Amino acid sequence: MPSRNVSLRLRDLQEKDSGSYLCFVNLQDNQGTVKGQSSKHLELDVLVPPAPPSCHLRGVAHVGTNVTLSCQSPRTPGLAVEVKVPSEPLSAPVGKTAELTCSYSTSVGDNFALEWSFVQPGKPVSMSQPILYFTNGQLYPTGSKAERASLLQNPPTGGVATLKLTDVRPSDAGTYLCHVNNPPDFYTNGLGLINLTVLVPPSRPSCSQSGQISVGGSAALRCSSSTGAPKPVYNWIRLGASPTPSPGSMVQDEVSGQLILTNLSLASSGTYRCVATNQMGSASCELTLSVTDPSKGRVAGTVTGVLLGVLFLSVAVFCLIRFQKERRKRPKETFGGSDLRNFYINRLRRLGVVCPKLSAESSSSVWGREREDAVAPGVSEQPLESEDSSNGLLERPSSASTVTTKSKLPMVV
């Protein structure tokens, strides 16, 4: 550059020209090699004369009360609308009244308008729904909160646009938008956002258990409340005089409400209580843990099997002894006079000998059902044919149907 003067000139300065400026110089030789460099920062503040201020009264001017007198000039006359809301989220207990503070500064004119709207948590601001709006000197509540929503100061032309919401409900939690519109003041968007949390005590939690509830196993106890804001924390305690499990075998998560019990023993059995707590209150539930011993179950099963076996064997022996006694008591078969007579008649009939007298007297007997070779008690059976032929006691006739038998020995029937 032909001159060492590299000053920068700005004409017709504006407020937005305020800021930091950097002057950066490189020293090079004829070949373009950088031999050195230097830089300098300069801060520029553009001075602006104050615009006509706007004065506001905040509060109700009664004896013994406090009021605030505000006087403020916008940075650019006729262009700025500034809305101020709390930077921290607000909270209100359920059933109470919430005040969402919103103030603004502008030169209120005939086109002044104020709108409050609401959007549920997790949804974009573009989906907000109006609660109430003020325009043309009139206030118009609208939406589901119309009966419970009002302005702390009405009309809100004094710089205070605070929203008052009565009988706060859990569904009121979300983001509220305070929007001031005052054409031609378009220098800012005139929007303030307030996050409201509704405080709700925790509901009665539900307790459950899972895992292998036996000696040496592990169990997981769970506890959860369906409602509660802010989200409750959970704490498990053991009831009664029994000692609490050692810290190494008991791990609990206060956020999820889960209690892990490891290396269970019979001493781990007992009643456990889960307490859900937040700044609004607490609620609890109880659970009884019963730890079983599998080895005792196996011993009991073995003893039961042995007892059943002994019982079965005893019944079998009893039945066998009874059967033997009944058999001994049964009367022996004896032959009367008629039986003995039938015995001899059958023997003769087998030899083909017919005795008319005996046949007539025994006609009522059932011959076909008697054993023809029966042996009388106390009489040993011997072949009659050989005995008869040797002693000549009986003579066999030529015709069995008409032969009359004569006995050489007297025979009484």
Side-chain angles (χ1 to χ4, degrees):
M1 301 179 69
S3 172
R4 293 180 178 269
N5 185 5
V6 292
S7 299
L8 177 65
R9 176 177 292 181
L10 295 177
R11 296 186 300 269
D12 190 16
L13 283 178
Q14 300 179 11
E15 184 179 0
K16 63 182 180 181
D17 293 333
S18 299
S20 178
Y21 292 82
L22 173 64
C23 179
F24 192 84
V25 178
N26 287 330
L27 299 180
Q28 302 178 357
D29 57 14
N30 294 334
Q31 286 75 28
T33 303
V34 177
K35 296 297 184 179
Q37 58 184 5
S38 179
S39 62
K40 182 68 175 180
H41 283 88
L42 296 176
E43 294 291 336
L44 176 62
D45 292 326
V46 179
L47 304 179
V48 182
S54 60
C55 299
H56 305 287
L57 171 64
R58 298 183 182 180
V60 180
H62 292 307
V63 175
T65 62
N66 298 328
V67 296
T68 301
L69 302 179
S70 63
C71 177
Q72 190 174 17
S73 294
R75 289 182 299 175
T76 303
L79 293 178
V81 175
E82 293 186 359
V83 174
K84 294 182 179 180
V85 295
S87 58
E88 297 295 329
L90 299 180
S91 60
V94 62
K96 302 297 182 178
T97 299
E99 291 187 0
L100 286 72
T101 304
C102 177
S103 62
Y104 64 91
S105 61
T106 186
S107 55
V108 177
D110 295 336
N111 296 326
F112 174 84
L114 169 68
E115 181 183 18
W116 275 97
S117 57
F118 167 77
V119 62
Q120 295 178 348
K123 293 186 178 181
V125 175
S126 59
M127 298 181 63
S128 62
Q129 300 294 327
I131 298 175
L132 56 78
Y133 58 93
F134 177 86
T135 184
N136 296 328
Q138 296 293 326
L139 181 65
Y140 301 95
T142 183
S144 60
K145 299 177 176 59
E147 296 181 356
R148 300 183 292 119
S150 62
L151 291 176
L152 189 63
Q153 291 185 2
N154 188 22
T157 56
V160 178
T162 300
L163 177 67
K164 183 178 176 181
L165 190 63
T166 61
D167 189 20
V168 174
R169 303 169 183 176
S171 59
D172 294 333
T175 302
Y176 290 79
L177 291 76
C178 177
H179 190 194
V180 176
N181 187 17
N182 188 31
D185 293 356
F186 296 121
Y187 185 75
T188 62
N189 58 7
L191 181 65
L193 305 180
I194 302 176
N195 292 321
L196 176 65
T197 301
V198 179
L199 304 179
V200 181
S203 62
R204 177 180 173 83
S206 60
C207 294
S208 61
Q209 67 179 22
S210 62
Q212 184 180 359
I213 317 299
S214 59
V215 174
S218 300
L221 310 184
R222 294 179 176 84
C223 174
S224 177
S225 294
S226 58
T227 59
K231 188 175 181 180
V233 295
Y234 302 94
N235 183 37
W236 284 92
I237 57 176
R238 184 175 179 178
L239 303 180
S242 300
T244 302
S246 61
S249 61
M250 182 177 68
V251 179
Q252 65 173 321
D253 188 345
E254 294 183 348
V255 177
S256 64
Q258 180 172 262
L259 174 67
I260 303 297
L261 297 173
T262 58
N263 193 20
L264 293 174
S265 64
L266 294 179
S268 303
S269 300
T271 301
Y272 293 79
R273 174 182 294 172
C274 173
V275 182
T277 308
N278 65 7
Q279 64 190 75
M280 291 298 295
S282 62
S284 64
C285 64
E286 296 180 1
L287 183 148
T288 300
L289 183 68
S290 299
V291 181
T292 60
D293 191 349
S295 61
K296 292 185 177 180
R298 290 193 294 268
V299 171
T302 303
V303 172
T304 303
V306 171
L307 292 178
L308 290 176
V310 171
L311 178 61
F312 177 78
L313 183 60
S314 300
V315 172
V317 171
F318 174 78
C319 293
L320 181 60
I321 294 174
R322 186 176 180 85
F323 175 76
Q324 292 293 339
K325 289 182 178 180
E326 292 293 334
R327 188 174 181 183
R328 293 192 186 100
K329 291 180 180 180
R330 186 180 301 170
K332 297 182 179 180
E333 295 182 358
T334 58
F335 286 87
S338 61
D339 293 331
L340 185 60
R341 181 185 59 188
N342 292 336
F343 170 75
Y344 285 111
I345 292 173
N346 290 333
R347 297 298 293 172
L348 294 174
R349 185 166 179 252
R350 183 180 178 188
L351 298 174
V353 178
V354 179
C355 182
K357 182 178 180 181
L358 295 178
S359 298
E361 294 177 356
S362 306
S363 59
S364 61
S365 301
V366 183
W367 294 84
R369 297 186 180 273
E370 298 290 342
R371 288 190 57 186
E372 296 179 351
D373 57 346
V375 180
V379 180
S380 59
E381 183 180 11
Q382 294 180 0
L384 297 180
E385 291 83 349
S386 59
E387 184 179 351
D388 294 341
S389 59
S390 60
N391 297 330
L393 296 178
L394 300 175
E395 294 179 8
R396 188 179 300 273
S398 59
S399 175
S401 58
T402 58
V403 174
T404 300
T405 304
K406 294 182 179 179
S407 176
K408 297 181 180 181
L409 297 176
M411 180 176 183
V412 179
V413 179

